[in-house]
Amino acid sequence: MIGLEDASVSFGARPLLSGISFTVPVGRSMAVLGPNGRGKTTLLRALLGFQPLAKGRRSAPKIAGYVPQHGASQAKLSGLDVVIMGRAARLGLFGQPSAEDRAAAEEALVEVGACHLAELRYDRMSGGQRQMVMIARAIATSSPALVFDEPTSALDLGNQSRTLELLNTLRLRRDKAILFTTHDPNHALAAADDVLLMMPGGREMHGTVADMIEPDKLSELYGVPMRWVDVNGPTGETRRAILPAFAGIEAA
Ligand SMILES: Nc1ncnc2c1ncn2[C@@H]1O[C@H](COP(=O)(O)OP(=O)(O)OP(=O)(O)O)[C@@H](O)[C@H]1O
């Protein structure tokens, strides 16, 4: 289980998170949505112990699979080496990766569909390729907690779709607590059970995807009118998507 209980974070005199509580049990996935600068990254960092709490408590396993929004450069390491680093916390200070660690890293690369990145230097990869490698690294930890900060932000639509399918597959195995931030409510529809809406002005709302991902709440969250649309899926099924009606978009 991962979560925060009555947690507050301040930067200097500025309170950013105030008495926030949520839990993500093993077997469920929660999406966090909120406007830029509202505190989503800070919330993840507080949960993982990278950001001190002014008040409250956090629950997280000692080793978590974490994909930060902006990964470090990992200069000159291959994709596989970066994924093997996900095993590092299990190795101790001077431990060398075993054949088993290597196999787990290779398996994680297969799982995210990024075997072709194993030998490529990480610092020469595109933003999207790095993101896939970092997701593999998180999976390679074998932690029961996976925490992703905007895991699809650098990905094209095809890779977004594949990554969301992967997140959904991980969700449906029901053996991990998964938390991810996103700016697209459709990502919550695709891969989450629950949603935390960090509303403007400091309020939070928490509930199931069905209760949280709906036009009125999202219009309030972003200040943009939202509407449901039906889109045909590849096998003729109807998929519901929720879209912003940006100014300039003509009525359908
Ligand atoms: N170490 C820090 N010191 C001071 N202020 C900080 C620090 N880290 C974050 N902040 C501020 O806290 C606020 C929230 O930042 P955070 O990155 O958590 O937002 P976010 O919701 O993830 O934003 P985005 O959607 O743009 O990624 C921002 O105003 C940011 O400048």
Side-chain angles (χ1 to χ4, degrees), residues 10-187:
S10 299
F11 291 118
R14 181 186 166 208
L16 186 67
L17 305 176
S18 181
I20 186 166
S21 298
F22 66 86
T23 56
V24 185
V26 167
R28 286 188 84 79
S29 170
M30 189 170 91
V32 181
L33 284 83
N36 287 132
R38 178 59 179 78
K40 299 177 296 299
T41 295
T42 304
L43 177 133
L44 300 191
R45 289 173 50 76
L47 174 73
L48 295 167
F50 303 139
Q51 175 64 49
L53 297 177
K55 185 168 82 80
R57 290 180 345 120
R58 68 179 190 92
S59 309
K62 217 164 125 193
I63 300 171
Y66 175 46
V67 177
Q69 205 173 345
H70 305 291
S73 76
Q74 320 279 7
K76 295 188 182 173
L77 292 179
S78 71
L80 182 62
D81 286 337
V82 171
V83 179
I84 288 175
M85 282 170 64
R87 312 286 297 173
R90 299 177 184 279
L91 299 177
L93 195 51
F94 301 108
Q96 289 296 314
S98 62
E100 193 188 326
D101 293 318
R102 200 182 164 85
E106 285 170 346
E107 208 177 295
L109 277 171
V110 172
E111 192 154 12
V112 305
C115 297
H116 58 292
L117 301 176
E119 301 309 323
L120 194 64
R121 260 176 58 172
Y122 184 85
D123 61 349
R124 293 180 181 165
M125 290 180 193
S126 73
Q129 290 172 328
R130 286 184 191 184
Q131 214 154 16
M132 302 304 282
V133 168
M134 292 303 280
I135 292 171
R137 188 177 81 156
I139 291 171
T141 62
S142 306
S143 171
L146 295 176
V147 177
F148 301 127
D149 200 354
E150 295 189 38
T152 56
S153 62
L155 302 182
D156 66 53
L157 289 180
N159 273 331
Q160 283 189 31
S161 176
R162 282 182 280 279
T163 302
L164 289 166
E165 265 177 51
L166 171 66
L167 288 191
N168 201 37
T169 301
L170 293 170
R171 172 180 85 93
L172 293 174
R173 283 187 198 149
R174 302 290 180 201
D175 62 354
K176 300 208 186 281
I178 302 172
L179 186 61
F180 67 93
T181 63
T182 178
H183 286 299
D184 189 337
N186 294 291
H187 295 180

